[in-house]
Amino acid sequence: MKLAFHLGRVYTLSLAEILSVLTRRGVEYEITGLFTEILIIKTNQVLDVQSLQKRLGGTVKIMRVADELTKKLPDDYVNFTLKKYLTPQNLKKLLTEYKGKVQFGVSLYPLSYKVNLRNQNKNVGMDIKHLLQENGVSSRLVLPEGNSLALPSVAVTNNHLLEKGAEIDLLVSETKIYIAKTLTVQDFSDYGRRDYQRPIRDSRVGMLPPKVAQIMINLAQYEPDEKNKGGYILDPFVGSGTVLQEAMLIGFKVLGSDISQKAVNDAEKNLDWFRTRYKLPPHKFELEVADVGKISKAFPDKKPLAIITEGTLGPTYAKEPNESEMAKNFEELSKVYLSAFKEFKKILPKGRTVVMALPAYRVRKGYISFPVVDKILKLGYDIQDPISQETVTKYGFLKVTPRKSIIYDRKDQIVVREIIIFKVK
């Protein structure tokens, strides 16, 4: 089978997560297509896409590739190439059987910077609508708004496309068109609930989005299975508890600590709410007030599988700080991070993982990264490639930094997150 994944906004991070989860689950696959929004894989294994969609924080949609067509010319319009393909028999492969008025949408995804798909959704959609009409089928066409080429998950969900028809996806390269059908979409309402409905939200200390926390957990490549029974995910900068709630939802037991009593109290309220809201079993989390520099004494009888955390990011800024201010912040934070990684070595055996979001600064010429990483490596750590070097080299648009990290940021941020996977040597 061929599956396509609609990657999130920070597509390199989304890709790293998908490949980590597939690898951890023992899925043998081949990448047959990749661009900034789309990953296409071929596998001989049958995958539970519903379960996979819930596990992936960075994937917007999962699609099944039904067919592929060869374009005669690179600049051919999509509807021109599809002309002979669009038959009642082929449409049956794409549309869900529904007795009422069929609801369907058309999304286009370029697989190359050279592919221009502007204003082509409507032409394809109307061709399909006319074909359905000729065969006595009443239908409603849903198209992306404005200049967008693809429908967002909210439009697919709110228009009930998967239940009452289909979202038809056309993945277009210079030479081919992959014809796909959306199987699942990200549950945007549930992510909103996990973020905004928690009892305690404190924007002053920064808040890791649940999707990013989920991605970081997946990058560690552990499963809450019998082999790991008794193992825990540890977050020693627990904050409001976002990492721990996402780990609990996956099925892990969790440990959290923070030097701030308020943070621990907030995390406890949030996790109690979360456990009740999602009907999770009791005894899933333990929290302590503890300095990260003494974390080995906080849970003396517990052995974490991995440490997943967003460390202290330092001051926030509305505009770019000067170099001396950034250097001063890094110097002060270095003491905390070096103390933390010395302690991590005491509780993590060789080969175990620390997935951490470190502070970096967005400046006019790019990013300024936290120089403490070189010192951390000297304590006995390696950095794991989030995506294989072979893949990064083959697809030059992937944004993995020279030190094997991935930046997660938004346009309005000066202080950004640099996500790194450390391995204990």
Side-chain angles (χ1 to χ4, degrees), residues 214-260:
Q214 190 177 7
I215 291 170
M216 290 172 63
I217 295 164
N218 286 331
L219 291 178
Q221 293 193 19
Y222 288 103
E223 293 286 339
D225 54 23
E226 286 300 313
K227 184 179 177 182
N228 293 326
K229 192 173 183 180
Y232 293 78
I233 298 297
L234 168 63
D235 182 354
F237 295 92
V238 74
S240 59
T242 307
V243 168
L244 299 192
Q245 73 174 37
E246 295 306 311
M248 286 167 57
L249 194 60
I250 291 170
F252 291 105
K253 293 181 179 180
V254 298
L255 306 171
S257 65
D258 204 289
I259 197 170
S260 163

Side-chain angles (χ1 to χ4, degrees), residues 155-166:
V156 176
T157 300
N158 289 347
N159 287 285
H160 306 286
L161 299 186
L162 305 191
E163 300 84 8
K164 296 183 177 182

